[in-house]
Amino acid sequence: MTDTGYVLAVIALMALVTVLLRALPFIAGHWLRRHPMVHKLGASLPLSIMVLLLIDAAAGQARAHGGLPWQELAAVILVILLQWRTRQPLLSIAAGTALYVGLRAL
Amino acid sequence: MPRPTSNTLSIPSLTAPVAMGYIPLGAVFGFLFVQAGGPGWLALVSSLLIYAGAAQFMMVPMLAAGLPIGAIALATLVLNLRHVFYGLSLLNTLPANRWLRWYSIFALTDETYSVLTALPARERAPRMALLSALNQGWWVLGTALGAVLGAQAQVGLTGLDFVLAALFAVLAVEQWRARRDAVPVWVAAAAYAAGNALMPSQALAIAIALCLLATALRPARPAPAAETAHD
């Protein structure tokens, strides 16, 4: 993190990738909409990817401390239940993270 | 979608809930970035130029590990792919002014998208740019607060970076709420298990490829009636 040039290059490239993805539907939306494959991917892929990222992030935490991932499991379940019931992302994230930090401190 | 209209239409009432989320989450990002050894001004540059919460959280451990730039860009591509599908449903509701239009596209985050879709279609275009700018303002403000705190704090809380997993869980719940389709969840779980069995260090990349393949090959679902709501 001390190499400013490297961090700036990463930020610039991430910014470019993000804005291109956000702009794509407005540039090529009418073309994209006509393709059934785009609809199919749009219907399922975002949920699949979020679940993958969730598993990977939780597994990464578990790998870092070794042992069984019961702390990760408990905190993820809490986040999912809270978000499902309350629709308050901040509450869900804060409560889940607080539970996780607490369990790790035990 | 019937929603209480009279009190949800003013800009402050639309941006206030986003502020409640973006200031603390931005602060956690700034805090983690500085604690990982990054200078505070670069955390601010990230929030000004990238402005994608999940991607910014993901970038911190990747930068700390000194991963190749290409690998971080690829991870960003996968993570932010969902934004393509957001834009498709807002296609005809952009501000008329060219600069405001481009800024609104740049700043189309999950939260701005969900606030916009709660508005009637004709109300969206005139409010989009100001709403987006306010929302990004909260995110940048939070980042600055967190970076200042992170520069002073001596002890890192073990497990604070769980905020990334929690954010993914929230986004997954919201994707589920929009579609109520269990197949993508099982496909993802099976794909990750397969990736982990094949090559644990590349489990995520393999799993993403398998998910793409499975989704492309899946027989089309009968279109639900609600799908016609392209306004």
Side-chain angles (χ1 to χ4, degrees):
Chain A
M1 276 274 214
T2 46
D3 182 351
T4 304
Y6 163 71
V7 178
L8 275 176
V10 168
I11 290 173
L13 200 56
M14 284 180 70
L16 185 69
V17 168
T18 304
V19 78
L20 284 178
L21 286 171
R22 285 177 181 162
L24 187 63
F26 299 100
I27 295 167
H30 296 286
W31 182 87
L32 287 170
R33 268 194 185 178
R34 266 186 278 124
H35 285 71
M37 183 59 80
V38 174
H39 285 273
K40 220 156 96 169
L41 293 179
S44 312
L45 205 56
L47 177 56
S48 281
I49 286 179
M50 277 311 143
V51 172
L52 279 183
L53 292 168
L54 168 61
I55 297 174
D56 193 59
Q61 295 275 352
R63 231 175 281 130
H65 67 73
L68 289 174
W70 65 269
Q71 297 130 316
E72 288 77 18
L73 209 59
V76 166
I77 289 172
L78 178 67
V79 176
I80 290 175
L81 286 178
L82 277 176
Q83 181 62 23
W84 180 251
R85 297 301 300 255
T86 69
R87 293 194 187 201
Q88 304 279 338
L90 179 63
L91 172 70
S92 318
I93 292 169
T97 306
L99 175 66
Y100 187 74
V101 170
L103 288 174
R104 287 292 300 274
L106 289 180
Chain B
M1 192 169 6
R3 294 213 174 213
T5 45
S6 57
N7 59 348
T8 55
L9 291 182
S10 75
I11 291 281
S13 70
L14 287 169
T15 196
V18 179
M20 303 274 288
Y22 273 14
I23 294 173
L25 280 179
V28 175
F29 166 71
F31 184 87
L32 289 174
F33 190 95
V34 169
Q35 289 274 305
W41 69 273
L42 281 176
L44 274 181
V45 171
S46 311
S47 290
L48 283 168
L49 294 185
I50 305 175
Y51 187 38
Q56 287 179 242
F57 278 111
M58 184 186 67
M59 141 184 125
V60 175
M62 291 181 134
L63 282 177
L67 290 192
I69 295 175
I72 304 180
L74 190 64
T76 308
L77 180 75
V78 169
L79 177 56
N80 286 339
L81 202 58
R82 65 189 188 284
H83 291 298
V84 173
F85 306 108
Y86 291 168
L88 279 179
S89 64
L90 291 176
L91 220 48
N92 300 318
T93 57
L94 286 173
N97 176 289
R98 192 206 307 187
W99 297 104
L100 296 182
R101 189 159 68 229
W102 277 103
Y103 175 72
S104 302
I105 291 172
F106 156 80
L108 191 54
T109 59
D110 296 283
E111 284 73 11
T112 302
Y113 171 75
S114 65
V115 170
L116 279 172
T117 49
L119 279 172
R122 66 181 176 286
E123 308 261 354
R124 289 176 193 162
R127 287 154 197 265
M128 198 169 176
L130 178 58
L131 193 59
S132 303
L134 283 169
N135 290 352
Q136 187 174 14
W138 306 130
W139 181 249
V140 172
L141 175 68
T143 304
L145 293 174
V148 169
L149 277 175
Q152 282 154 5
Q154 295 299 313
V155 279
L157 285 171
T158 307
L160 190 59
D161 48 359
F162 184 80
V163 71
L164 178 62
L167 188 56
F168 291 152
V170 163
L171 291 171
V173 167
E174 292 312 315
Q175 294 287 350
W176 167 268
R177 208 193 299 278
R179 300 280 175 182
R180 308 275 176 119
D181 179 10
V183 175
V185 178
W186 297 121
V187 165
Y192 195 84
N196 200 42
L198 284 169
M199 207 197 285
S201 63
Q202 296 298 326
L204 183 61
I206 296 171
I208 287 165
L210 289 175
C211 275
L212 251 170
L213 197 66
T215 308
L217 295 177
R218 183 182 175 196
R221 296 170 85 199
E227 269 289 279
T228 52
H230 281 303
D231 38 16

